[in-house]
Amino acid sequence: MTAAKPILLAEDNPRDAELALAAMEEQHISDKVVLCHDGAEALDYLYCRGQFKSRLKGNPAVVFLDLKMPKVNGLEVLRIIKADTNLRTIPVVMLTSSREERDLAESYALGANAYVVKPVEFHQFLSAVKELSTFWGVINEPPPEGSCSSN
Amino acid sequence: MTTPLRLLQLEDNPIDADLILATLTEGGISCAPRRVESRDAFVAALKEGRIDMILADYSLPGFDGIRALELARKLCPDVPFIFVSATLGEELAIDTMHRGATDYILKQRLGRLVPSVQRTLRELHNRAERKRAEEALRQSEKQLRQAQKMEAVGRLAGGLAHDFNNLLTVIMGHSQVLLNDMGPGHPLRSKIEEMQKAGDRAAALIRQLLTFSRKQPSDPKVLSLNPVITNVETMLRRLIGEDIELALRVSQENLRVKADPAQLEQIVMNLVVNARDAMPKGGKLIIETASANLGRTPVYHLSPLPPGAYVRLSVSDTGGGMPPEVQAHIFEPFFTTKEEGKGTGLGLSTVFGIVTQSGGGLDVTSTIGQGTRFDVYLPSVTAEFEKAAGQDSTQQSMRGHETILLVEDDSAVRELVRDELRKLGYRVFEAKNGLEACLVGTQHLGGLQLLLTDVVMPGMSGTELAQHLRVIKPDLKLLFISGYTDDVGIGAGDPSSAYLQKPFTPEALAKTIRDLLDLTPANTTRANRQPETIQQPSQDNRS
Ligand SMILES: Nc1ncnc2c1ncn2[C@@H]1O[C@H](COP(=O)(O)OP(=O)(O)OP(=O)(O)O)[C@@H](O)[C@H]1O
Ligand SMILES: [Mg+2]
């Protein structure tokens, strides 16, 4: 296991995605970011199917899920991840543009590891993501499970 | 806030004006309003002054908001100006802000009024506070320069003193050997005794130098002042000779201070020797102790003394006094009016150093031909504190085994706190910021009992983090730590949360954590405490 694990970012808003990628670029981790544009695509990635059929096996280091996405929304993706024994150990950070008490409660109830209101200001978002990236190096030791879960 | 807000209302519609006032009153802001409608009345009110805040309508018959704003800026530039108006375009609103308006509130959205006024008042208060602080800073800068000078000189003196001490040890040691060998009747004996006395004086001088350079380890403890004085009485009598009458007037009360006894003796000795030198033809020397309630800071101080209970030690003489030019310099190191070899000019600067180090200050009154009086004020310590200081044996009950999530972005603070907690037996997870803590916390939430978190952090604040983790674990205990005094009050009203102001002592931390963790739902005593009461106990008894 030489390559660091990728980061999965599921975000349908191109502007928010761009901001996040720029922040990650600053941290020299943007090459490891896999960007999905909706929940279905994110699930395809996690389960190595569809366009990700032949990707390198292994779980991402962390999953950033936009709460409201087309096709399959963030909460649904979260539910599926936390219900799957092979996926549930992946830290999941919910990204949202609104501070909805109900969304927050539901996210944590479903097992989210953090609920982040996408800060309006770019530098705040950047520092938040930046701090997270230092965290990945610490907590994500090479995974014991060597393969992608089959559907 | 008890004094009502002096409000100038520029508003032509009385119904609106009343509604605005009602909104403010309901929001807990008591107002002393004055309403004007016309330009002339507005200008008259501005000229009259005594206004805390201006609330103005934007559109008025025959007079517009921008003109009103300009007038207010010119006549009362420091008074906040808030527009409360019907529809005001965004551009116009921004324009008013550029021109110096503090805020603009739409009449349709009066809900913003109270928060806006409160924020403005806060800013006003902060500005006044800042101004006061700057003034105090200027005041103390002069004193600081003096202190720095003393410190530089002191460092130099301190270095020398150590070497002299070693040399003196040899001189004194060998003269003692000689005296022992000589036997009582030896003709040279008195000469060696003179040598020894000179050596004693030199040793005393070195001690002075060391105190002065703060190298003499000071060992402050809570002690009674009177015995310290009466203990040195015989020595003082010998020191001042027969021509001077010494009167000791010690207070009947048990005056307690926190100080190093050797340093207290030094204060008395220096003041007494100076008084003696001021009365070469004899006179009266009075040493007095008393309790004193200070509502002001004595003239000679390093930082302002909080008002409260102090102990006063006064030494007065009936000597020659000193002119103001001399008095202006007496606390400067090496300032002396005594002839070569008689004075080093270190006496009073040493006294100043000790007194200010102990949180005290001095007053000096001197009249030419009549005498001089030195008043030393030291913070009084009441008996309660001594008890508190002796309660260290409770250490055992401060221990714990619970799991704590520690969140702090300053790694030095985090490591310190972590090590303290582990020493006490706790299990500690640590995180550098709120987001990381959230990730760690959600994974270990089951066993987690306490969240110990900084308040201000990038990304996710401590309060946000607490709110998030409580969603999944409602009974999680919270302890907020912050270096910002603004954060005081966070968690107030929630019995299972507490707040600790930085800097705090390990004991305060341990105690607060224990109190929080020992709290059962039935026992809803608030576990919030101010660490200062433990850190600076001498200030505990004031007010
Ligand atoms: N009680 C007093 N009456 C008149 N002048 C005084 C009195 N106390 C101090 N002074 C003045 O203040 C000066 C400084 O006093 P300080 O004790 O610092 O030094 P010193 O007495 O000259 O020397 P040292 O104390 O180091 O032997 C004295 O030289 C003297 O001019
Ligand atoms: Mg002197």
Side-chain angles (χ1 to χ4, degrees):
Chain A
M1 180 98 203
T2 45
K5 295 194 283 182
I7 295 151
L8 181 59
L9 171 65
E11 171 65 80
D12 64 310
N13 181 330
R15 207 179 141 261
D16 287 349
E18 199 181 313
L19 285 177
L21 285 173
M24 292 174 182
E25 192 159 339
E26 198 132 306
Q27 290 298 301
H28 312 292
I29 49 169
S30 57
D31 54 326
K32 293 173 218 130
V33 179
V34 177
L35 177 64
C36 294
H37 303 88
D38 59 57
E41 218 178 288
L43 287 173
D44 280 351
Y45 179 87
L46 290 166
Y47 286 107
C48 302
R49 61 192 187 200
Q51 62 175 118
F52 298 105
K53 205 170 198 143
S54 50
R55 76 164 174 95
L56 269 169
K57 307 264 183 263
N59 283 338
V62 58
V63 179
F64 287 97
L65 287 178
D66 185 23
L67 200 84
K68 295 190 172 68
M69 283 186 296
K71 295 187 188 161
V72 184
N73 78 24
L75 287 175
E76 190 51 37
V77 178
L78 171 67
R79 189 201 314 278
I80 293 170
I81 291 177
K82 292 299 175 183
D84 186 314
T85 45
N86 286 316
L87 301 177
R88 63 159 34 123
T89 52
I90 310 170
V92 179
V93 178
M94 302 306 288
L95 298 176
T96 161
S97 41
S98 74
R99 167 179 289 286
E100 282 279 343
E101 207 65 41
R102 224 191 39 231
D103 288 343
L104 182 137
E106 194 172 355
S107 295
Y108 283 117
L110 287 174
N113 299 94
Y115 179 94
V116 178
V117 180
K118 275 182 273 188
V120 194
E121 283 182 55
F122 175 62
H123 70 265
Q124 269 184 14
F125 185 81
L126 185 126
S127 81
V129 175
K130 191 154 111 187
E131 290 297 337
L132 266 176
S133 77
T134 60
F135 167 78
W136 298 327
V138 183
I139 197 158
N140 293 291
E141 297 104 34
E145 77 277 352
S147 70
C148 196
S149 55
S150 53
N151 204 2
Chain B
M1 220 166 301
T2 42
T3 44
L5 180 69
R6 290 169 303 184
L7 201 64
L8 177 59
Q9 269 188 302
L10 178 59
E11 173 65 68
D12 59 328
N13 182 340
I15 297 173
D16 282 358
D18 287 348
L19 184 63
I20 289 167
L21 283 179
T23 307
L24 288 174
T25 315
E26 217 159 276
I29 302 168
S30 69
C31 303
R34 171 171 179 187
R35 187 167 73 87
V36 293
E37 288 184 25
S38 70
R39 180 184 189 282
D40 290 347
F42 184 60
V43 171
L46 288 178
K47 283 192 172 148
E48 213 169 283
R50 293 199 300 276
I51 306 165
D52 297 321
M53 196 177 289
I54 300 165
L55 298 185
D57 194 356
Y58 189 84
S59 42
L60 298 148
F63 186 34
D64 78 284
I66 290 291
R67 282 292 299 138
L69 178 58
E70 276 169 4
L71 281 167
R73 295 276 83 199
K74 205 160 73 202
L75 293 171
C76 300
D78 292 332
V79 178
F81 190 112
I82 298 176
F83 276 116
V84 185
S85 196
T87 40
L88 192 61
E90 193 171 336
E91 246 162 73
L92 210 55
I94 290 169
D95 185 43
T96 63
M97 305 286 257
H98 279 308
R99 288 169 191 263
T102 307
D103 200 356
Y104 79 93
I105 310 285
L106 291 179
K107 279 182 183 169
Q108 304 90 300
R109 298 188 51 199
L110 270 186
R112 277 194 58 228
L113 180 63
V114 169
S116 171
V117 167
Q118 275 166 344
R119 189 182 54 235
T120 306
L121 287 176
R122 239 183 349 258
E123 276 161 14
L124 219 57
H125 176 74
N126 288 349
R127 208 182 320 149
E129 207 70 323
R130 203 154 46 234
K131 231 165 140 182
R132 230 193 331 271
E134 275 164 14
E135 184 49 39
L137 189 67
R138 249 196 305 283
Q139 284 279 320
S140 63
E141 242 165 35
K142 229 175 81 193
Q143 264 137 359
L144 182 67
R145 268 198 297 278
Q146 155 83 348
Q148 281 171 336
K149 198 158 94 188
M150 277 173 61
E151 199 178 308
V153 176
R155 243 198 299 277
L156 185 76
L160 283 174
H162 271 288
D163 290 342
F164 277 119
N165 241 348
N166 291 336
L167 297 174
L168 262 180
T169 312
V170 178
I171 296 172
M172 299 289 281
H174 283 297
S175 48
Q176 192 56 51
V177 172
L178 281 179
L179 277 180
N180 291 349
D181 286 354
M182 275 170 175
H186 201 283
L188 288 180
R189 198 181 167 87
S190 64
K191 295 204 163 35
I192 297 197
E193 275 167 353
E194 278 309 304
M195 262 174 66
Q196 266 211 321
K197 264 190 216 148
D200 277 332
R201 278 205 300 280
L205 183 61
I206 285 167
R207 204 161 67 148
Q208 189 127 310
L209 276 171
L210 284 174
T211 318
F212 177 71
S213 64
R214 309 267 161 92
K215 284 209 169 114
Q216 174 89 317
S218 97
D219 180 18
K221 34 177 152 294
V222 175
L223 48 85
S224 300
L225 178 64
N226 293 336
V228 175
I229 313 249
T230 42
N231 282 349
V232 290
E233 190 185 343
T234 28
M235 189 176 67
L236 292 179
R237 285 195 191 281
R238 231 186 2 247
L239 208 62
I240 60 177
E242 262 112 56
D243 294 337
I244 294 170
E245 183 192 334
L246 174 68
L248 236 60
R249 295 181 189 161
V250 294
S251 160
Q252 295 298 310
E253 296 168 71
N254 183 7
L255 306 173
R256 267 191 253 244
V257 292
K258 189 168 186 214
D260 178 334
Q263 294 192 340
L264 278 182
E265 274 175 30
Q266 246 175 315
I267 294 177
V268 180
M269 293 274 285
N270 272 304
L271 295 179
V272 166
V273 169
N274 282 351
R276 177 200 66 190
D277 292 348
M279 301 183 285
K281 295 194 192 88
K284 190 164 183 184
L285 199 164
I286 303 166
I287 303 175
E288 193 185 336
T289 64
S291 59
N293 244 315
L294 274 190
R296 57 171 186 98
T297 294
V299 176
Y300 300 94
H301 62 271
L302 261 189
S303 43
L305 273 58
Y310 287 78
V311 166
R312 173 170 62 82
L313 164 67
S314 304
V315 175
S316 48
D317 63 62
T318 56
M322 39 186 163
E325 316 86 82
V326 169
Q327 198 183 317
H329 299 287
I330 52 173
F331 291 109
E332 287 174 22
F334 299 115
F335 174 84
T336 180
T337 57
K338 295 170 190 172
E339 54 188 276
E340 283 264 357
K342 277 268 172 70
T344 56
L346 282 178
L348 287 181
S349 46
T350 305
V351 169
F352 182 81
I354 297 171
V355 172
T356 51
Q357 219 180 342
S358 317
L362 296 109
D363 277 332
V364 181
T365 40
S366 187
T367 315
I368 293 286
Q370 288 189 13
T372 304
R373 173 189 171 114
F374 283 84
D375 292 311
V376 174
Y377 294 95
L378 295 172
S380 158
V381 178
T382 58
E384 283 148 72
F385 164 61
E386 258 190 323
K387 227 171 66 203
Q391 275 172 353
D392 272 356
S393 50
T394 51
Q395 268 293 335
Q396 209 46 39
S397 62
M398 303 270 216
R399 298 182 59 80
H401 57 274
E402 289 90 342
T403 305
I404 296 173
L405 175 57
L406 165 65
V407 196
E408 164 67 60
D409 55 347
D410 184 322
S411 57
V413 177
R414 191 179 63 247
E415 281 156 25
L416 175 88
V417 172
R418 179 198 60 202
D419 293 347
E420 283 303 323
L421 295 179
R422 291 204 172 137
K423 252 192 272 169
L424 290 167
Y426 293 104
R427 250 187 96 194
V428 183
F429 287 110
E430 43 180 332
K432 282 182 289 298
N433 61 49
L435 228 40
E436 184 181 349
C438 202
L439 293 176
V440 176
T442 46
Q443 281 163 350
H444 299 280
L445 212 57
L448 211 60
Q449 273 94 18
L450 175 85
L451 170 66
L452 169 48
T453 179
D454 196 4
V455 177
V456 183
M457 290 177 296
M460 183 186 275
S461 74
T463 42
E464 260 179 288
L465 170 67
Q467 183 206 348
H468 288 203
L469 293 183
R470 277 237 176 126
V471 168
I472 344 176
K473 195 174 172 67
D475 59 345
L476 186 68
K477 303 281 171 64
L478 310 173
L479 174 52
F480 297 100
I481 50 178
S482 176
Y484 298 90
T485 43
D486 277 6
D487 294 331
V488 176
I490 281 178
D494 172 4
S496 53
S497 86
Y499 173 86
L500 210 51
Q501 174 84 45
K502 290 180 198 169
F504 47 77
T505 59
E507 295 79 51
L509 179 70
K511 179 92 174 67
T512 311
I513 289 179
R514 210 49 264 160
D515 284 355
L516 267 176
L517 289 174
D518 290 340
L519 209 72
T520 54
N523 174 13
T524 47
T525 330
R526 191 139 155 64
N528 199 349
R529 63 185 59 251
Q530 289 294 316
E532 286 87 350
T533 56
I534 292 174
Q535 256 189 315
Q536 291 176 304
S538 55
Q539 309 200 342
D540 200 2
N541 325 299
R542 310 266 173 78
S543 89

